[in-house]
Amino acid sequence: MQAVWVMLICLAATPGASASTCKGVAAIPGLPGVPGRPGSNGRDGENGHKGERGPPGQTEDQAELGEKGDAGLPGFPGKVGPKGPAGSRGAPGPRGALGRKGESGDYKTSLKSAFSASRTINMLPRRDQPIRFDRVITNENGHYENRYGRFTCKIPGLYYFTYHATSRGNLCVNIKKGKGNRGEKVVTFCDYVHNTYQVTTGGVVLKVKADESIWLEPTEKNSLVGIEGADSIFSGFLLFPDN
């Protein structure tokens, strides 16, 4: 401390003197001074430039997401829910076009079934096979099939069937009833002559069910002919339908 005072005195006494020209006695350096009090806080600096956006963060247990997988199989249908309330009634739609006029509701008009057909085939019919009466004369509602010589019932009830067969020799005819190709014999009519033309006639009333068929079959005595001027005819019609 003494050396500092000596230097200050030397500089003050000698104008133009400097620390290098003022020499004194070297002394031992003094102890450091007591630290000063902290200064006041400075002003806030200006905001810096906004940085680039970083990658999205991840939690510690979150793995890297892969590509989206295929859709799984549909699950089982759930239970049917309760029925909802009935909706309000909508407005009536536009009126449709008029349909075709139907048949009369009269009993006699709505339930009709009748046929009559003649045979124009010159060949003798086969034994135990339906006789074909191929030329249709009347076939109300189409219940007779001239291709097979069968009448098939579409209106169950009581029917009358009759035939007139021209023959030149012995002739026996069975009236048969059944479904498909199988049938049972109902009645048989026979006439016996030699080398002359004659007409054999037979008829029967039958109760016929729906889809049952009626037809004629010759036996071994078979001389039925079908030529112009000597017709053979098979007929039938509905008498009383079932209730």
Side-chain angles (χ1 to χ4, degrees), residues 136-224:
V136 173
I137 301 173
T138 302
N139 194 11
E140 193 68 33
N141 289 329
H143 297 165
Y144 175 74
E145 301 172 282
N146 64 329
R147 182 178 179 182
Y148 305 105
R150 298 172 182 265
F151 166 81
T152 301
C153 176
K154 300 300 180 183
I155 305 173
L158 288 175
Y159 286 81
Y160 178 69
F161 297 95
T162 183
Y163 77 94
H164 302 274
T166 300
S167 64
R168 189 171 184 179
N170 297 336
L171 175 65
C172 288
V173 175
N174 295 324
I175 297 181
K176 302 190 74 172
K177 179 177 73 170
K179 290 187 178 182
N181 295 325
R182 302 182 62 180
E184 60 180 4
K185 181 178 67 175
V186 180
V187 290
T188 302
F189 299 94
C190 290
D191 273 325
Y192 300 95
V193 295
H194 295 282
N195 298 323
T196 59
Y197 285 105
Q198 71 170 2
V199 176
T200 301
T201 300
V204 63
V205 174
L206 296 177
K207 184 174 181 61
V208 189
K209 299 178 181 179
D211 298 326
E212 281 188 326
S213 296
I214 306 295
W215 66 93
L216 301 181
E217 281 188 8
T219 65
E220 73 280 359
K221 299 178 178 60
N222 178 15
S223 59
L224 187 146

Side-chain angles (χ1 to χ4, degrees), residues 2-241:
Q2 185 179 1
V4 175
W5 283 110
V6 172
M7 186 175 292
L8 292 175
I9 295 172
C10 180
L11 292 174
T14 308
S18 63
S20 61
T21 57
C22 184
K23 296 181 180 179
V25 181
I28 299 171
L31 298 172
V34 179
R37 291 180 300 175
S40 60
N41 294 333
R43 294 179 300 174
D44 294 336
E46 297 179 358
N47 293 332
H49 298 289
K50 186 176 181 180
E52 296 180 357
R53 184 175 182 179
Q58 294 182 347
T59 59
E60 294 181 357
D61 58 348
Q62 182 180 9
E64 184 178 357
L65 295 177
E67 296 181 358
K68 185 177 180 180
D70 297 332
L73 297 174
F76 294 103
K79 295 182 178 179
V80 178
K83 185 177 180 180
S88 58
R89 186 173 183 179
R95 185 175 181 180
L98 294 176
R100 293 181 300 177
K101 184 177 180 180
E103 294 184 359
S104 172
D106 183 72
Y107 181 82
K108 296 180 180 179
T109 303
S110 58
L111 297 177
K112 295 189 299 183
S113 182
F115 76 95
S116 187
S118 65
R119 179 175 173 86
T120 63
I121 302 172
N122 292 328
M123 297 178 58
L124 296 178
R126 295 181 180 180
R127 178 182 176 182
D128 298 329
Q129 294 290 328
I131 301 173
R132 285 187 58 199
F133 294 86
D134 55 298
R135 187 174 71 88
V136 173
I137 301 173
T138 302
N139 194 11
E140 193 68 33
N141 289 329
H143 297 165
Y144 175 74
E145 301 172 282
N146 64 329
R147 182 178 179 182
Y148 305 105
R150 298 172 182 265
F151 166 81
T152 301
C153 176
K154 300 300 180 183
I155 305 173
L158 288 175
Y159 286 81
Y160 178 69
F161 297 95
T162 183
Y163 77 94
H164 302 274
T166 300
S167 64
R168 189 171 184 179
N170 297 336
L171 175 65
C172 288
V173 175
N174 295 324
I175 297 181
K176 302 190 74 172
K177 179 177 73 170
K179 290 187 178 182
N181 295 325
R182 302 182 62 180
E184 60 180 4
K185 181 178 67 175
V186 180
V187 290
T188 302
F189 299 94
C190 290
D191 273 325
Y192 300 95
V193 295
H194 295 282
N195 298 323
T196 59
Y197 285 105
Q198 71 170 2
V199 176
T200 301
T201 300
V204 63
V205 174
L206 296 177
K207 184 174 181 61
V208 189
K209 299 178 181 179
D211 298 326
E212 281 188 326
S213 296
I214 306 295
W215 66 93
L216 301 181
E217 281 188 8
T219 65
E220 73 280 359
K221 299 178 178 60
N222 178 15
S223 59
L224 187 146
V225 297
I227 59 177
E228 186 176 357
D231 292 321
S232 295
I233 297 176
F234 180 35
S235 302
F237 54 88
L238 175 66
L239 293 174
F240 305 105

